[in-house]
Amino acid sequence: MGTTHLRELREGLRSLYQLDDAYGGGDVRSLAARHLRRVRRVINTSRYPETIGRQLQLLAGETAEHCAWLAYDADDQDTARRYWGEALATATMLRDSSLEILVLSSLSMQASYEGRPRDGLDLARAARERATRFGSPVLQSLIASREARALSLMDDGKTAGKRLADAVRLVERHGPRSRPSPGWAAFHGRAELDYAQGLYTETGHHRAATQYIRAALAHQDRTYGRNRALYRLTLSRSLLKAGDVDEGAAHAVDSLEHLEEVESARVLRRLREVTGLLGSHDSASTRDAAEQLTQYARLRGAA
């Protein structure tokens, strides 16, 4: 086992990241699990120097973390927790702060998604403690946005708003001379923060939330089809709740264009939520949109 083989294994993980960004879904999930098994097999059956061994263990932890993300996106939360637990154990064993911060912030995201905001806040704060020494504004902004989401779900709007403002300032402070963030945090930026602000504002202020979610769509890279579908469906939800039913119905239908490109149980869950909202309005546009979304969900086996 040498550096060439290690390079091939790392390139395999990089390819999985690219496939997930482009398509997501069960096929990528099975490929990731297979890649993790391959890395584990190499660790346990090959001969290599200690320096290569550490890199292999780190690669296994990073691959387990990506398997967790894919399970989370598939709404298989128990499997996601298991993989994240494996990745966190690896990070602890290797004393690798970057992987540890990634897992803790991911577990915070999952906890908030599952309705466990206190856990989400504690996990985000644990990630923040470990991230301090990195001095990266982008990384600190990402963690602040996770804290804000948890605080918002705990009905602590004042502190949530402060942490969101901190997150925005940190990204604006990022420049050529700033400490770089880990590669895995590269996705975090203006679009993510606009969306987070929209979710925060949406609680009781649906019309105001739409301006942030529109901005998130405008700033979101078109290569991230999953995010564009999620943002557009969330915009539809806010518009429908604000009483702008025709525009809300139009965005709901437009989201299907992005959904054709990717598979995501989380996004399909939002689609079903929007379909239910459309059904509560009696207009030609909402009836037509609800019919199209229902038909799409039925074809995808999500009805």
Coordinates of all heavy atoms in Angstrom, one line a residue, residues 196-264:
A196 N -31.0 31.0 5.7 CA -31.1 30.9 7.1 C -31.9 32.1 7.7 O -32.7 32.0 8.5 CB -29.7 30.9 7.8
Q197 N -31.6 33.3 7.1 CA -32.4 34.5 7.5 C -33.9 34.4 7.1 O -34.7 34.8 7.9 CB -31.8 35.7 6.8 CG -32.4 37.0 7.2 CD -32.1 37.5 8.7 OE1 -30.9 37.5 9.0 NE2 -33.1 37.7 9.5
G198 N -34.1 33.7 6.0 CA -35.5 33.5 5.6 C -36.2 32.6 6.5 O -37.4 32.9 6.9
L199 N -35.6 31.5 6.9 CA -36.2 30.6 7.8 C -36.5 31.2 9.2 O -37.5 31.0 9.8 CB -35.3 29.3 8.0 CG -35.2 28.4 6.9 CD1 -34.2 27.2 7.2 CD2 -36.5 27.8 6.4
Y200 N -35.5 32.1 9.6 CA -35.7 32.8 10.9 C -36.9 33.8 10.8 O -37.7 33.8 11.7 CB -34.4 33.5 11.2 CG -34.5 34.5 12.3 CD1 -34.7 34.2 13.6 CD2 -34.4 35.9 12.0 CE1 -34.9 35.1 14.6 CE2 -34.5 36.9 13.0 CZ -34.7 36.5 14.3 OH -34.8 37.4 15.3
T201 N -36.9 34.5 9.7 CA -38.0 35.5 9.6 C -39.3 34.9 9.3 O -40.4 35.6 9.7 CB -37.6 36.5 8.4 OG1 -36.2 36.9 8.6 CG2 -38.5 37.7 8.3
E202 N -39.4 33.7 8.8 CA -40.6 33.1 8.4 C -41.5 32.9 9.5 O -42.8 32.8 9.4 CB -40.3 31.7 7.7 CG -41.5 31.2 6.9 CD -41.1 29.8 6.3 OE1 -40.3 29.1 6.9 OE2 -41.6 29.6 5.2
T203 N -41.0 32.8 10.7 CA -41.8 32.5 11.9 C -42.7 33.7 12.2 O -42.3 34.7 12.8 CB -41.0 32.2 13.1 OG1 -40.1 31.1 12.8 CG2 -41.8 31.8 14.3
G204 N -43.9 33.7 11.6 CA -44.9 34.8 11.9 C -44.7 35.9 10.9 O -45.5 36.9 11.0
H205 N -43.7 35.9 10.0 CA -43.5 37.1 9.1 C -43.2 36.5 7.7 O -42.2 36.8 7.2 CB -42.3 37.9 9.6 CG -42.5 38.5 11.0 ND1 -43.3 39.5 11.3 CD2 -42.0 38.0 12.2 CE1 -43.3 39.8 12.6 NE2 -42.5 38.8 13.2
H206 N -44.2 35.9 7.2 CA -44.0 35.1 5.9 C -43.7 36.1 4.8 O -42.8 35.8 3.9 CB -45.2 34.3 5.6 CG -45.6 33.3 6.7 ND1 -44.8 32.3 7.0 CD2 -46.6 33.3 7.5 CE1 -45.3 31.6 8.0 NE2 -46.5 32.2 8.3
R207 N -44.3 37.2 4.7 CA -44.1 38.1 3.6 C -42.7 38.7 3.6 O -42.0 38.8 2.6 CB -45.1 39.3 3.6 CG -45.1 40.0 2.2 CD -46.2 41.1 2.2 NE -47.5 40.5 2.4 CZ -48.3 39.9 1.5 NH1 -47.8 39.8 0.3 NH2 -49.4 39.4 1.8
A208 N -42.2 39.0 4.8 CA -40.8 39.5 5.0 C -39.8 38.5 4.7 O -38.7 38.7 4.1 CB -40.6 40.0 6.4
A209 N -40.2 37.2 5.0 CA -39.2 36.1 4.7 C -38.9 35.9 3.2 O -37.8 35.5 2.8 CB -39.7 34.8 5.3
T210 N -39.9 36.2 2.4 CA -39.8 36.0 1.0 C -38.6 36.7 0.4 O -37.9 36.2 -0.6 CB -41.0 36.3 0.2 OG1 -41.3 37.7 0.3 CG2 -42.2 35.5 0.7
Q211 N -38.3 37.9 0.8 CA -37.2 38.7 0.2 C -35.8 38.0 0.5 O -35.0 38.0 -0.4 CB -37.1 40.1 0.8 CG -36.8 40.2 2.3 CD -36.8 41.6 2.8 OE1 -36.1 42.5 2.2 NE2 -37.5 41.9 3.9
Y212 N -35.7 37.3 1.6 CA -34.4 36.6 1.9 C -34.3 35.3 1.1 O -33.3 35.0 0.6 CB -34.3 36.3 3.4 CG -34.2 37.5 4.3 CD1 -35.3 37.9 5.1 CD2 -33.1 38.3 4.3 CE1 -35.2 39.1 5.9 CE2 -32.9 39.4 5.1 CZ -34.0 39.8 5.9 OH -33.9 40.9 6.7
I213 N -35.5 34.7 1.0 CA -35.4 33.4 0.2 C -35.2 33.7 -1.3 O -34.6 32.9 -2.0 CB -36.7 32.6 0.5 CG1 -36.8 32.3 2.0 CG2 -36.6 31.2 -0.2 CD1 -38.1 31.7 2.5
R214 N -35.8 34.8 -1.8 CA -35.5 35.2 -3.1 C -34.0 35.4 -3.3 O -33.4 35.0 -4.3 CB -36.3 36.4 -3.5 CG -37.8 36.3 -3.6 CD -38.4 37.6 -4.1 NE -39.8 37.7 -3.8 CZ -40.8 37.2 -4.5 NH1 -40.5 36.6 -5.6 NH2 -42.1 37.3 -4.2
A215 N -33.4 36.1 -2.4 CA -32.0 36.4 -2.4 C -31.2 35.1 -2.4 O -30.2 35.0 -3.1 CB -31.6 37.3 -1.3
A216 N -31.6 34.2 -1.6 CA -30.9 32.9 -1.5 C -30.9 32.2 -2.9 O -29.9 31.7 -3.3 CB -31.6 32.0 -0.5
L217 N -32.1 32.2 -3.6 CA -32.1 31.6 -4.9 C -31.2 32.4 -5.9 O -30.5 31.7 -6.7 CB -33.6 31.7 -5.4 CG -34.5 30.5 -5.2 CD1 -35.9 30.9 -5.6 CD2 -34.0 29.3 -6.0
A218 N -31.2 33.7 -5.8 CA -30.4 34.5 -6.7 C -28.9 34.2 -6.5 O -28.1 34.2 -7.4 CB -30.6 36.0 -6.5
H219 N -28.5 34.0 -5.2 CA -27.1 33.8 -4.9 C -26.6 32.3 -5.0 O -25.4 32.0 -5.1 CB -26.8 34.2 -3.5 CG -26.8 35.7 -3.3 ND1 -27.6 36.3 -2.3 CD2 -26.2 36.7 -4.0 CE1 -27.4 37.7 -2.4 NE2 -26.6 37.9 -3.4
Q220 N -27.6 31.4 -5.1 CA -27.2 30.0 -5.1 C -26.7 29.5 -6.5 O -27.3 29.8 -7.5 CB -28.5 29.1 -4.8 CG -28.2 27.6 -4.7 CD -27.2 27.2 -3.7 OE1 -27.4 27.4 -2.5 NE2 -26.1 26.7 -4.2
D221 N -25.5 28.9 -6.4 CA -24.9 28.4 -7.6 C -25.8 27.4 -8.3 O -26.4 26.5 -7.6 CB -23.6 27.6 -7.2 CG -22.7 27.3 -8.4 OD1 -23.3 26.8 -9.4 OD2 -21.5 27.4 -8.3
R222 N -26.0 27.4 -9.6 CA -26.9 26.6 -10.3 C -26.5 25.1 -10.3 O -27.3 24.3 -10.7 CB -27.1 27.1 -11.7 CG -27.8 28.4 -11.8 CD -28.2 28.8 -13.2 NE -29.0 30.0 -13.2 CZ -30.3 30.0 -13.1 NH1 -31.0 28.9 -12.9 NH2 -31.0 31.2 -13.1
T223 N -25.2 24.8 -10.0 CA -24.8 23.4 -9.9 C -25.4 22.7 -8.7 O -25.5 21.5 -8.7 CB -23.3 23.3 -9.8 OG1 -22.8 24.0 -8.7 CG2 -22.6 23.9 -11.1
Y224 N -25.9 23.4 -7.7 CA -26.5 22.8 -6.6 C -28.0 22.7 -6.8 O -28.8 23.5 -6.2 CB -26.2 23.6 -5.3 CG -24.7 23.6 -4.9 CD1 -23.9 24.7 -5.3 CD2 -24.2 22.5 -4.2 CE1 -22.6 24.6 -4.9 CE2 -22.9 22.5 -3.9 CZ -22.0 23.5 -4.2 OH -20.7 23.5 -3.9
G225 N -28.4 21.7 -7.6 CA -29.9 21.6 -7.9 C -30.7 21.3 -6.7 O -31.9 21.8 -6.6
R226 N -30.2 20.5 -5.7 CA -30.9 20.2 -4.5 C -31.3 21.4 -3.8 O -32.4 21.6 -3.3 CB -30.1 19.2 -3.6 CG -30.8 18.9 -2.3 CD -29.9 18.3 -1.3 NE -29.3 17.0 -1.7 CZ -28.1 16.8 -2.1 NH1 -27.2 17.8 -2.2 NH2 -27.6 15.6 -2.4
N227 N -30.3 22.3 -3.6 CA -30.6 23.5 -2.8 C -31.5 24.4 -3.5 O -32.4 25.1 -2.9 CB -29.3 24.2 -2.5 CG -28.4 23.6 -1.4 OD1 -28.9 22.6 -0.9 ND2 -27.3 24.2 -1.1
R228 N -31.4 24.5 -4.8 CA -32.3 25.4 -5.6 C -33.8 24.9 -5.5 O -34.7 25.7 -5.4 CB -31.9 25.5 -7.0 CG -30.6 26.3 -7.2 CD -30.2 26.5 -8.7 NE -31.2 27.4 -9.3 CZ -31.2 28.7 -9.2 NH1 -30.3 29.3 -8.4 NH2 -32.1 29.5 -9.8
A229 N -33.9 23.6 -5.5 CA -35.3 23.0 -5.4 C -35.8 23.3 -4.0 O -37.0 23.7 -3.8 CB -35.3 21.5 -5.6
L230 N -35.0 23.1 -3.0 CA -35.4 23.3 -1.6 C -35.8 24.8 -1.3 O -36.8 25.1 -0.7 CB -34.3 22.9 -0.6 CG -34.6 23.0 0.9 CD1 -35.8 22.2 1.3 CD2 -33.4 22.7 1.7
Y231 N -34.9 25.7 -1.9 CA -35.2 27.1 -1.7 C -36.4 27.6 -2.4 O -37.2 28.3 -1.8 CB -34.0 28.0 -2.2 CG -32.7 27.8 -1.5 CD1 -32.6 27.0 -0.4 CD2 -31.5 28.5 -1.9 CE1 -31.3 26.9 0.3 CE2 -30.3 28.4 -1.3 CZ -30.2 27.6 -0.2 OH -29.0 27.5 0.5
R232 N -36.7 27.0 -3.6 CA -37.8 27.5 -4.3 C -39.1 26.9 -3.7 O -40.1 27.7 -3.6 CB -37.8 27.0 -5.8 CG -38.8 27.7 -6.7 CD -38.5 27.4 -8.2 NE -37.3 27.9 -8.7 CZ -37.2 29.2 -9.1 NH1 -38.2 30.1 -8.9 NH2 -36.0 29.6 -9.6
L233 N -39.1 25.7 -3.2 CA -40.2 25.2 -2.4 C -40.5 26.0 -1.1 O -41.6 26.2 -0.8 CB -40.0 23.7 -2.1 CG -40.3 22.8 -3.3 CD1 -39.7 21.4 -3.0 CD2 -41.7 22.7 -3.7
T234 N -39.4 26.4 -0.5 CA -39.6 27.2 0.7 C -40.1 28.5 0.4 O -41.0 29.1 1.2 CB -38.2 27.3 1.5 OG1 -37.7 26.0 1.7 CG2 -38.4 28.0 2.8
L235 N -39.7 29.1 -0.7 CA -40.3 30.4 -1.1 C -41.8 30.2 -1.4 O -42.6 31.1 -1.0 CB -39.5 30.9 -2.4 CG -40.1 32.2 -3.0 CD1 -40.1 33.3 -2.0 CD2 -39.2 32.5 -4.3
S236 N -42.1 29.1 -2.1 CA -43.5 28.8 -2.4 C -44.3 28.8 -1.1 O -45.4 29.3 -1.0 CB -43.7 27.5 -3.1 OG -45.0 27.1 -3.3
R237 N -43.8 28.1 -0.1 CA -44.4 28.0 1.2 C -44.7 29.3 1.9 O -45.8 29.6 2.3 CB -43.6 27.1 2.2 CG -44.2 26.9 3.5 CD -43.4 26.0 4.4 NE -42.1 26.6 4.8 CZ -41.2 26.0 5.5 NH1 -41.3 24.8 5.9 NH2 -40.0 26.7 5.9
S238 N -43.7 30.2 1.9 CA -43.8 31.5 2.5 C -44.8 32.3 1.7 O -45.7 33.1 2.3 CB -42.5 32.2 2.5 OG -41.6 31.6 3.5
L239 N -44.8 32.3 0.4 CA -45.8 33.0 -0.4 C -47.2 32.6 -0.2 O -48.1 33.4 0.0 CB -45.4 32.9 -1.9 CG -44.2 33.7 -2.4 CD1 -43.7 33.2 -3.8 CD2 -44.4 35.2 -2.4
L240 N -47.4 31.3 -0.1 CA -48.7 30.7 0.1 C -49.2 31.2 1.5 O -50.4 31.5 1.7 CB -48.7 29.2 0.0 CG -48.5 28.6 -1.4 CD1 -48.2 27.2 -1.3 CD2 -49.8 28.9 -2.3
K241 N -48.4 31.1 2.5 CA -48.8 31.5 3.8 C -49.0 33.0 4.0 O -49.8 33.5 4.8 CB -47.7 31.1 4.9 CG -47.7 29.6 5.1 CD -46.8 29.1 6.2 CE -46.8 27.7 6.5 NZ -45.9 27.2 7.6
A242 N -48.3 33.8 3.1 CA -48.5 35.2 3.1 C -49.7 35.6 2.2 O -50.1 36.8 2.2 CB -47.3 35.9 2.5
G243 N -50.4 34.7 1.6 CA -51.6 35.0 0.8 C -51.3 35.2 -0.7 O -52.2 35.5 -1.5
D244 N -50.0 35.2 -1.1 CA -49.7 35.4 -2.6 C -49.8 34.0 -3.3 O -48.8 33.4 -3.7 CB -48.3 36.0 -2.7 CG -48.2 37.3 -2.0 OD1 -49.2 38.1 -2.0 OD2 -47.1 37.7 -1.5
V245 N -51.0 33.6 -3.5 CA -51.2 32.2 -3.9 C -50.8 31.9 -5.3 O -50.2 30.8 -5.6 CB -52.7 31.7 -3.6 CG1 -53.0 31.7 -2.1 CG2 -53.6 32.6 -4.4
D246 N -51.0 32.8 -6.2 CA -50.6 32.6 -7.6 C -49.1 32.5 -7.8 O -48.6 31.5 -8.5 CB -51.2 33.7 -8.5 CG -52.7 33.6 -8.7 OD1 -53.3 32.5 -8.4 OD2 -53.3 34.6 -9.0
E247 N -48.4 33.4 -7.2 CA -46.9 33.3 -7.3 C -46.4 32.1 -6.5 O -45.5 31.4 -7.0 CB -46.3 34.6 -6.7 CG -44.8 34.6 -7.0 CD -44.1 35.9 -6.5 OE1 -44.8 36.7 -5.9 OE2 -42.9 36.0 -6.6
G248 N -47.0 31.8 -5.4 CA -46.6 30.6 -4.7 C -46.8 29.3 -5.5 O -45.9 28.4 -5.5
A249 N -47.9 29.2 -6.2 CA -48.2 28.1 -7.0 C -47.2 28.0 -8.1 O -46.7 26.9 -8.5 CB -49.6 28.2 -7.6
A250 N -46.8 29.1 -8.7 CA -45.9 29.1 -9.8 C -44.5 28.6 -9.4 O -43.8 27.9 -10.1 CB -45.8 30.6 -10.4
H251 N -44.0 29.1 -8.2 CA -42.7 28.6 -7.7 C -42.8 27.1 -7.4 O -41.8 26.4 -7.6 CB -42.3 29.5 -6.5 CG -41.7 30.8 -6.9 ND1 -40.5 30.9 -7.5 CD2 -42.2 32.0 -6.8 CE1 -40.2 32.2 -7.7 NE2 -41.2 32.9 -7.3
A252 N -43.9 26.7 -6.9 CA -44.0 25.3 -6.6 C -43.8 24.4 -7.8 O -43.1 23.4 -7.8 CB -45.4 25.0 -5.9
V253 N -44.4 24.8 -8.9 CA -44.3 24.1 -10.2 C -42.9 24.2 -10.7 O -42.3 23.2 -11.2 CB -45.3 24.6 -11.2 CG1 -45.1 24.0 -12.6 CG2 -46.7 24.3 -10.7
D254 N -42.3 25.4 -10.6 CA -40.9 25.6 -11.1 C -39.9 24.7 -10.4 O -38.9 24.4 -10.9 CB -40.5 27.1 -11.0 CG -41.2 28.0 -12.0 OD1 -41.8 27.4 -13.0 OD2 -41.2 29.2 -11.8
S255 N -40.2 24.4 -9.1 CA -39.3 23.6 -8.3 C -39.1 22.2 -9.0 O -38.0 21.6 -8.8 CB -39.7 23.4 -6.9 OG -40.9 22.6 -6.8
L256 N -40.1 21.7 -9.7 CA -40.0 20.4 -10.3 C -38.8 20.3 -11.3 O -38.2 19.2 -11.5 CB -41.3 20.0 -11.0 CG -42.5 20.0 -10.1 CD1 -43.8 19.6 -10.8 CD2 -42.3 19.0 -8.9
E257 N -38.5 21.4 -11.9 CA -37.4 21.4 -12.9 C -36.1 21.0 -12.2 O -35.3 20.3 -12.7 CB -37.2 22.8 -13.5 CG -36.0 23.0 -14.4 CD -35.8 24.4 -14.8 OE1 -36.7 25.2 -14.6 OE2 -34.8 24.7 -15.4
H258 N -35.9 21.5 -11.0 CA -34.7 21.2 -10.2 C -34.7 19.8 -9.7 O -33.7 19.1 -9.6 CB -34.5 22.2 -9.1 CG -34.5 23.7 -9.5 ND1 -33.6 24.1 -10.5 CD2 -35.3 24.7 -9.2 CE1 -33.9 25.4 -10.7 NE2 -34.9 25.8 -9.9
L259 N -35.9 19.4 -9.3 CA -36.1 18.0 -8.7 C -35.8 16.9 -9.7 O -35.4 15.8 -9.3 CB -37.5 17.9 -8.1 CG -37.6 18.4 -6.7 CD1 -39.1 18.5 -6.3 CD2 -36.9 17.6 -5.7
E260 N -36.0 17.2 -11.0 CA -35.7 16.2 -12.0 C -34.2 15.9 -12.0 O -33.8 14.8 -12.4 CB -36.1 16.8 -13.4 CG -37.6 16.9 -13.6 CD -38.3 15.6 -13.7 OE1 -37.6 14.6 -13.8 OE2 -39.5 15.6 -13.6
E261 N -33.4 16.8 -11.5 CA -31.9 16.6 -11.6 C -31.4 15.8 -10.4 O -30.3 15.2 -10.4 CB -31.2 18.0 -11.6 CG -31.7 18.9 -12.7 CD -31.2 20.3 -12.6 OE1 -30.3 20.5 -11.7 OE2 -31.6 21.2 -13.3
V262 N -32.1 15.9 -9.2 CA -31.6 15.3 -8.0 C -32.6 14.5 -7.3 O -33.8 14.5 -7.6 CB -31.1 16.4 -7.0 CG1 -30.0 17.2 -7.6 CG2 -32.3 17.3 -6.6
E263 N -32.1 13.7 -6.3 CA -33.0 12.9 -5.5 C -32.7 13.3 -4.0 O -31.5 13.4 -3.6 CB -32.8 11.4 -5.6 CG -33.2 10.8 -6.9 CD -33.0 9.3 -7.0 OE1 -33.2 8.7 -5.9 OE2 -32.6 8.8 -8.0
S264 N -33.7 13.7 -3.3 CA -33.5 14.1 -1.9 C -34.8 13.9 -1.1 O -35.8 14.6 -1.4 CB -33.1 15.6 -1.8 OG -33.1 16.0 -0.5

